[in-house]
Structure formats: C-alpha cells, structure tokens
Amino acid sequence: MSAETLGTLQKRLAAFASARDWGQFHSPKNLAMALSVEAAELLEEFQWLTDEQSGRLDDARRERVRLELADVFIYLLRMADVLGMDLMKAADDKIALNERKYPAERVRGDARKYTEYD
Amino acid sequence: MSAETLGTLQKRLAAFASARDWGQFHSPKNLAMALSVEAAELLEEFQWLTDEQSGRLDDARRERVRLELADVFIYLLRMADVLGMDLMKAADDKIALNERKYPAERVRGDARKYTEYD
Amino acid sequence: MSAETLGTLQKRLAAFASARDWGQFHSPKNLAMALSVEAAELLEEFQWLTDEQSGRLDDARRERVRLELADVFIYLLRMADVLGMDLMKAADDKIALNERKYPAERVRGDARKYTEYD
Amino acid sequence: MSAETLGTLQKRLAAFASARDWGQFHSPKNLAMALSVEAAELLEEFQWLTDEQSGRLDDARRERVRLELADVFIYLLRMADVLGMDLMKAADDKIALNERKYPAERVRGDARKYTEYD
C-alpha cells in the first residue's frame, strides 16, 4: 500500500469534484446511488463466471475488475467525507460488533449459519 | 483517521474469516455479490428521503448509515485482498484516468455532461 | 397491454436461451445477479437527476429507461420460470401481506412511517 | 397464471399507494432505488449458496425468494405505470433487439461470448 492515507485521498476527490462544480450532485442520497451502480458494475464482471473461474481472471477482466473496485472505493470515500464519517473507525466498530455476534468457537464450519449471516 | 492501515485491517478481516472457516465462501464472485448487497442496504436508508433530508440524518439513521458504510468497506477490502489488488493504487490509477477523461476546464458547471458521467 | 401473457413470454425467453445453449448459465444464483445488474443499469439513468427531472425525461433517456425496464422484466420472468414460481400469484400474495402490515387508515400521510417501510 | 392482467395489477398497486398518500414518494428516481434494493434482497438469498444449491432451495428460503420476486415485480409494475410505459411491449421490443444482436447460429455454445453478453 502506498503511504497515502484515506484522508489525503478524500481531499483529492473533494478537490476533483470542486474543480468541476460537481459538489452540487454529491448529496448522500445520490452518492449512495452511485455506489450501488458501481458495485453492480463490479458484479457484472462475475455474473456468468463459475466460482472457480472467478478466482483465475484473465488479464483484461482482471484490469476491469481492479478499476471497478477503485470506483466503489472512490464513491465510498466521497460519501464518508460528505457525511463526516471516519471509515477506519466505522470498520473497527463493525468488526467488534461482528466478533460479538459470531463468536468463532460457535460458528466454525457451520455453513448453514453462514448462509444466514448478514 | 486512525493510524491503522488498509493492510492491517485486511489482515484482521482475513483472520476473522479464517477463524470461522468462512474462507471457503469468499470467492471473488460471492464477495462481489456481498458487496452489492451491502451497497443496497446503504441505498435503502436513503430511498424515500429527499436530497435535502439525506444531508441531515437523525442520529439513529446516521448510525445505521455509518455501519452500512463499514460493511461495504469491509467487503471491498476483503475482495481486494483475495484478488491480490492494492486499493490505494487502483484509486490513484482511476483518478488519473478520470482527470484525463473529464478535464476541469471543459466540464465545469455542465450538469448535462455530468449526468452522462460514468 | 398486448394480449400476450406472462406464460407465453416466458416460453419465448426459454426458447431464446435454449437456441443459444445459454440454459447452462441460468442458475437461480446467476439470474439473481443478472437481475441486480439490470436494476442498477436502470438506477444509473436516474442517479444524478433531481426527483423532479426524473418525472420529465427527454426522449433519448426515456427510451433507454424503457429498455432497462424490459431487461429487468426479462430476467424476472426467466428466474420465476426456472424456479417454477407464478409471478402473478406471488404479487397477489405479497399485496395481501402488505395490506395487513400497512392498514391504510393507520399509515395515511405518515411520511416517517413510510421511510421505515420495507 | 391467473387471468389477472398486468394492467389490473397496476391499478391495484396505484390504489394501494393512493390510499396511503404514498404517491408523493413514488417518483421514478425513488422507485428505481426501491427496485434496486428489492433486487439486492433477492440476491442476498443466493450470495453464499453454490450454483447447485441455488437450484434446490429448502422450503423456507424458497418462500422468501418467492416474496422477493414479488417485491421486484411490484416496483417494476409501479415504475412502468408512473412512467406510462407498457412492459409487455418493452419486453417484445427488447427481445427483438436481442435476436438481432445475438443470432442463435453465431453464439450457440460459445460460453466466452456469453460472458460478454449484456
């Protein structure tokens, strides 16, 4: 990973939007839509592949997937910035919640439980 | 932002999955599905709000939104890790592509152009 | 509406897939992915529009939206067919459930309630 | 399939919304979001299943899937109604386009082509 931090990246994205007068479009509602659209473009790359094929992508698809991951990341960072939320802190808090909800010793190897995981 | 890096967070997520034997479910295809599902749960929080309401969430919704952002982030990090891709590098590359595709001086204030942005 | 029924349309779609050997890709899992992808392509048409703009689309966007609605419908029909489910019956059953869950006299004009509708 | 037509069903859905003053929320933009959210709830049922498991659902999941299909159908019908579009006609037109785009004799058995299908 580069030494760049999420905060630095968020400042670049804010400047990018601002230089284009795009801030007006970036309400949390619209950004949530954009994030869903990008997540679906990522999904589209995998929709007709088998599970196994999805683990050994050819170079062209691999690069498309990499840039779709970037799009999701960009809108996620933008949305957190606009809402004034700290993504790393949110992830820490959610992992702590998940650790309490799914204790390792209780769920290990229980595929059925996993299919009910949310 | 905490001093924690994306790489550290990805290691924690990998350990979390491994301790529960959940690695078997984490094919790129399945993770792309999970990411889309989480993005839609975020979207759901905004679907009936006006643009303006989406900018001043009440505390309960704000906390739900924060944890949905975390879920998207967690699956994004997990997917990048499983695919061996560097998210910060991918974002840098995508921003560079966008800068060439949408030069500030040409698109500024052109809302119509923006609606065709992808 | 044409006199064509959903069943007739489903038979045409099954024949279309069969003539191309595409049945092999049409597992319920893959069709659910395709349906989500098409729903997001529809969403993409609206992501940067205001609510008001979304009600008066220009001709080009209106035609794109019409064909995206068709794509969602096509995968929905295909999925119901593959799963052996009757869409009209499912809709009837769901509307009956909603009528019990949201009695008109209790929810009328309560926007807050609506934002919690699912 | 019941003898009920799409038009009849759309009238029932319009009356349902109207009796609850929910028409105000049903802009095309908001309905596109709701449709995406419902498609993702359907997707969620399949996200950790194998392809093969997705073809033999247990009764509880099968019923949840059936009602999620209904939710997608309901928002699709509602959206077409609000936009004044004929779903059957749209599907007919899209199938005709697909027949020209993917001639059976040219694509048969070509899985690679299919993965590029959109």
Side-chain angles (χ1 to χ4, degrees):
Chain A
M1 200 190 66
S2 94
E4 192 176 33
T5 65
L6 297 194
T8 315
L9 195 45
Q10 284 172 317
K11 282 197 193 84
R12 285 179 62 201
L13 293 169
F16 184 93
S18 170
R20 286 157 186 78
D21 278 347
W22 285 355
Q24 58 183 310
F25 299 109
H26 287 189
S27 66
K29 176 166 175 154
N30 284 357
L31 290 170
M33 293 176 81
L35 187 61
S36 255
V37 168
E38 296 302 338
E41 290 182 2
L42 180 64
L43 187 63
E44 189 177 9
E45 292 294 338
F46 294 99
Q47 66 186 337
W48 308 119
L49 302 186
T50 62
D51 241 41
E52 195 267 332
Q53 289 169 330
S54 84
R56 46 169 182 86
L57 306 175
D58 63 43
D59 287 351
R61 192 182 299 271
R62 190 172 162 82
E63 180 60 9
R64 290 199 304 274
V65 163
R66 197 176 74 91
L67 294 177
E68 295 297 351
L69 281 175
D71 281 333
V72 173
F73 191 30
I74 284 170
Y75 279 118
L76 181 68
L77 287 165
R78 190 80 187 105
M79 194 166 174
D81 192 21
V82 165
L83 287 165
M85 293 174 179
D86 180 330
L87 272 184
M88 297 300 281
K89 172 80 166 62
D92 279 349
D93 291 351
K94 190 61 203 281
I95 293 171
L97 286 171
N98 285 343
E99 274 163 356
R100 254 171 293 150
K101 195 170 172 187
Y102 307 100
E105 62 278 12
R106 196 158 55 78
V107 303
R108 191 176 299 118
D110 187 348
R112 198 183 47 77
K113 270 288 164 14
Y114 193 68
T115 65
E116 286 151 23
Y117 170 74
D118 64 345
Chain B
M1 199 190 67
S2 94
E4 192 177 34
T5 66
L6 298 194
T8 316
L9 195 45
Q10 285 171 318
K11 282 198 194 83
R12 284 178 62 202
L13 294 169
F16 184 92
S18 169
R20 287 158 185 77
D21 278 345
W22 286 355
Q24 58 183 309
F25 300 109
H26 287 189
S27 67
K29 176 167 176 153
N30 284 358
L31 290 169
M33 293 176 81
L35 187 61
S36 255
V37 168
E38 296 301 339
E41 291 182 2
L42 180 64
L43 188 64
E44 189 177 9
E45 292 293 338
F46 294 99
Q47 66 185 338
W48 308 119
L49 303 186
T50 63
D51 243 40
E52 195 265 334
Q53 289 170 331
S54 84
R56 45 169 182 86
L57 306 175
D58 63 43
D59 287 351
R61 192 183 299 271
R62 191 173 161 81
E63 180 59 8
R64 291 199 304 273
V65 163
R66 197 176 74 91
L67 295 177
E68 295 297 352
L69 282 176
D71 281 333
V72 173
F73 191 31
I74 284 169
Y75 279 118
L76 181 68
L77 287 164
R78 190 81 188 104
M79 194 165 173
D81 192 21
V82 165
L83 287 165
M85 292 174 180
D86 180 330
L87 271 185
M88 296 301 279
K89 173 79 167 64
D92 280 348
D93 291 350
K94 190 60 203 282
I95 293 171
L97 285 172
N98 284 343
E99 274 163 356
R100 257 172 291 152
K101 195 169 173 188
Y102 307 100
E105 61 278 13
R106 196 158 55 78
V107 303
R108 191 177 298 119
D110 186 349
R112 198 183 46 78
K113 270 289 163 10
Y114 193 69
T115 63
E116 286 151 24
Y117 169 76
D118 63 343
Chain C
M1 200 190 64
S2 94
E4 193 176 33
T5 65
L6 298 193
T8 316
L9 195 45
Q10 284 171 318
K11 281 197 195 84
R12 285 179 62 200
L13 294 169
F16 184 92
S18 169
R20 286 156 186 78
D21 278 346
W22 286 354
Q24 59 183 310
F25 300 110
H26 288 189
S27 67
K29 175 166 176 154
N30 284 357
L31 290 169
M33 294 176 80
L35 187 61
S36 255
V37 167
E38 296 301 337
E41 290 182 3
L42 180 64
L43 188 64
E44 188 177 10
E45 292 293 337
F46 294 99
Q47 67 186 338
W48 307 120
L49 303 185
T50 63
D51 241 41
E52 195 266 333
Q53 289 169 331
S54 84
R56 45 171 182 86
L57 306 176
D58 63 43
D59 287 352
R61 192 183 299 271
R62 191 173 161 82
E63 180 60 8
R64 290 199 304 274
V65 163
R66 198 177 73 92
L67 294 178
E68 295 297 352
L69 282 175
D71 281 334
V72 173
F73 191 31
I74 284 170
Y75 279 118
L76 181 67
L77 286 165
R78 190 81 186 104
M79 193 165 174
D81 192 21
V82 165
L83 287 165
M85 293 173 180
D86 180 331
L87 272 184
M88 298 299 281
K89 173 80 167 63
D92 279 348
D93 292 351
K94 190 61 203 282
I95 293 171
L97 285 171
N98 285 343
E99 274 163 355
R100 256 172 291 150
K101 195 170 173 188
Y102 307 100
E105 61 278 11
R106 196 158 55 76
V107 303
R108 191 176 299 119
D110 186 348
R112 197 182 47 76
K113 270 288 162 15
Y114 193 69
T115 65
E116 287 152 24
Y117 170 75
D118 64 342
Chain D
M1 200 190 65
S2 94
E4 193 176 33
T5 67
L6 298 194
T8 316
L9 195 45
Q10 284 172 317
K11 282 198 194 84
R12 284 179 62 201
L13 294 169
F16 184 93
S18 169
R20 286 156 185 79
D21 278 346
W22 286 355
Q24 58 182 311
F25 300 110
H26 288 189
S27 66
K29 175 166 175 154
N30 284 358
L31 290 170
M33 294 176 79
L35 187 61
S36 255
V37 168
E38 296 301 338
E41 291 182 3
L42 180 64
L43 188 63
E44 188 176 10
E45 293 293 337
F46 294 99
Q47 67 186 336
W48 307 120
L49 303 186
T50 63
D51 241 39
E52 194 266 333
Q53 288 170 331
S54 84
R56 46 169 182 87
L57 307 174
D58 63 42
D59 287 351
R61 192 182 300 270
R62 191 172 162 83
E63 180 60 7
R64 290 199 304 274
V65 163
R66 197 176 74 90
L67 294 178
E68 294 297 351
L69 281 175
D71 281 333
V72 173
F73 191 31
I74 284 170
Y75 279 117
L76 181 68
L77 286 165
R78 190 81 186 103
M79 194 166 174
D81 192 21
V82 165
L83 287 164
M85 293 174 180
D86 180 329
L87 271 184
M88 297 300 281
K89 173 78 167 63
D92 279 348
D93 292 350
K94 189 60 203 283
I95 293 170
L97 286 171
N98 285 343
E99 273 163 356
R100 257 171 292 152
K101 196 170 173 187
Y102 307 100
E105 62 278 14
R106 196 158 56 78
V107 303
R108 191 176 299 118
D110 186 348
R112 198 184 46 78
K113 269 290 163 11
Y114 193 70
T115 64
E116 286 151 23
Y117 169 75
D118 65 341

